[in-house]
Amino acid sequence: MLTRSQIEELNALLVRVDEDEDEEDDDDWFALEFSEPDSAEDIAALEGIIGFGIPDALKALYQQCGAFGHASYGLSWQTIKVRSASRMLERLRAGGDATPAMGLLNYIHDSWGGRTELEVIDSELAKIVNENYVVFGERIISDDVYDYWYFDRNGLFGCLHFDQDQGGHNIWKLETLGNIVPPEVPALSREERRAQTLLEVAIFSGDEDIFPGKELDELITQQFEACAQSLAHG
């Protein structure tokens, strides 16, 4: 698991690039803020709501490091936010129409104020996506493009690249995520289910950044590096 100091080192590259690009700007756009570590009780309560376990790697991050995000998240491009278990739990318990969805499809739909093109996805397939993939963080690439970080019930991590101008491609990715969820087979162990999922991922796509198969440390590292590259190229 990445430690807090390792995460700060990854972020330091963004800070250096930003300082090089605009030496007169005193705003610390890429300062990181860390949440208090999550309790085992809050994590267990969140698991009870979403209906399956949070992967061990994310639990370790929550309990040993704490969730984190850029202070300017939502105000600047190339910023990152990992939502803490306690914050997700608080929002999911809010009740009423204000309760945000954490299932991947509904989360994207709600985040963009309703995406009518996503409504063409079959309702049963949409249910599968929402019940099997949970958003825990995201990266703002531009006003039109976000990366959504998720984990699935097999303990795998993925990142869905959502460009609001690529409606058909977005639908295809979400539908594919629904199709690669293995059916419930009690005879399969967790490791066997993971292997089956990864095999189906390899069949359905050559782009590992879209579909589940990442380790958490790899996903976080790649996202910080992508932010730095984008900033360096203007």
Side-chain angles (χ1 to χ4, degrees):
M1 185 203 82
L2 289 171
T3 64
R4 178 167 176 165
S5 61
Q6 288 173 323
I7 293 170
E8 289 172 334
E9 286 175 9
L10 288 170
N11 190 63
L13 179 59
L14 277 66
V15 174
R16 288 196 297 271
V17 171
D18 186 51
E19 289 174 346
D20 291 342
E21 290 296 313
D22 192 352
E23 296 179 358
E24 297 181 359
D25 190 351
D26 293 329
D27 292 328
D28 197 356
W29 287 106
F30 297 100
L32 277 184
E33 297 178 338
F34 286 83
S35 303
E36 290 295 321
D38 287 299
S39 67
E41 292 75 18
D42 278 351
I43 291 173
L46 180 59
E47 290 176 323
I49 292 177
I50 65 177
F52 56 90
I54 295 171
D56 291 342
L58 186 56
K59 284 185 184 180
L61 178 72
Y62 282 154
Q63 293 184 290
Q64 298 175 31
C65 176
F68 59 88
H70 286 121
S72 62
Y73 178 79
L75 302 175
S76 178
W77 295 353
Q78 304 304 332
T79 50
I80 284 170
K81 180 75 171 180
V82 174
R83 305 190 183 282
S84 68
S86 58
R87 179 57 179 153
M88 289 168 65
L89 185 62
E90 177 185 330
R91 294 178 66 185
L92 287 170
R93 283 174 167 171
D97 295 335
T99 303
M102 302 310 296
L104 180 58
L105 178 56
N106 281 344
Y107 189 91
I108 293 172
H109 190 279
D110 291 355
S111 295
W112 291 84
R115 302 297 304 185
T116 56
E117 76 273 21
L118 299 180
E119 294 171 4
V120 305
I121 296 176
D122 175 80
S123 60
E124 185 58 32
L125 192 61
K127 184 173 183 288
I128 290 172
V129 172
N130 284 319
E131 291 182 353
N132 284 276
Y133 302 96
V134 174
V135 176
F136 70 94
E138 59 206 73
R139 167 189 166 212
I140 298 177
I141 299 172
S142 71
D143 288 342
D144 298 325
V145 186
Y146 277 52
D147 272 359
Y148 292 99
W149 307 354
Y150 61 82
F151 60 86
D152 71 9
R153 67 172 60 246
N154 292 305
L156 302 173
F157 294 93
C159 173
L160 189 137
H161 186 77
F162 185 90
D163 185 333
Q164 72 164 348
D165 295 326
Q166 296 182 355
H169 193 45
N170 295 329
I171 291 168
W172 173 79
K173 288 185 285 187
L174 288 161
E175 289 178 334
T176 302
L177 281 172
N179 290 333
I180 67 174
V181 174
E184 292 292 339
V185 182
L188 292 181
S189 67
R190 179 184 177 91
E191 291 73 22
E192 289 169 329
R193 285 176 60 81
R194 175 186 172 91
Q196 181 174 336
T197 302
L198 290 175
L199 176 61
E200 295 187 3
V201 167
I203 293 171
F204 275 97
S205 174
D207 188 347
E208 62 180 1
D209 289 328
I210 296 174
F211 298 103
K214 294 286 186 186
E215 297 296 336
L216 181 60
D217 288 1
E218 180 187 20
L219 173 61
I220 292 174
T221 299
Q222 286 184 346
Q223 289 288 295
F224 272 109
E225 289 175 347
C227 284
Q229 281 187 340
S230 182
L231 288 170
H233 290 90

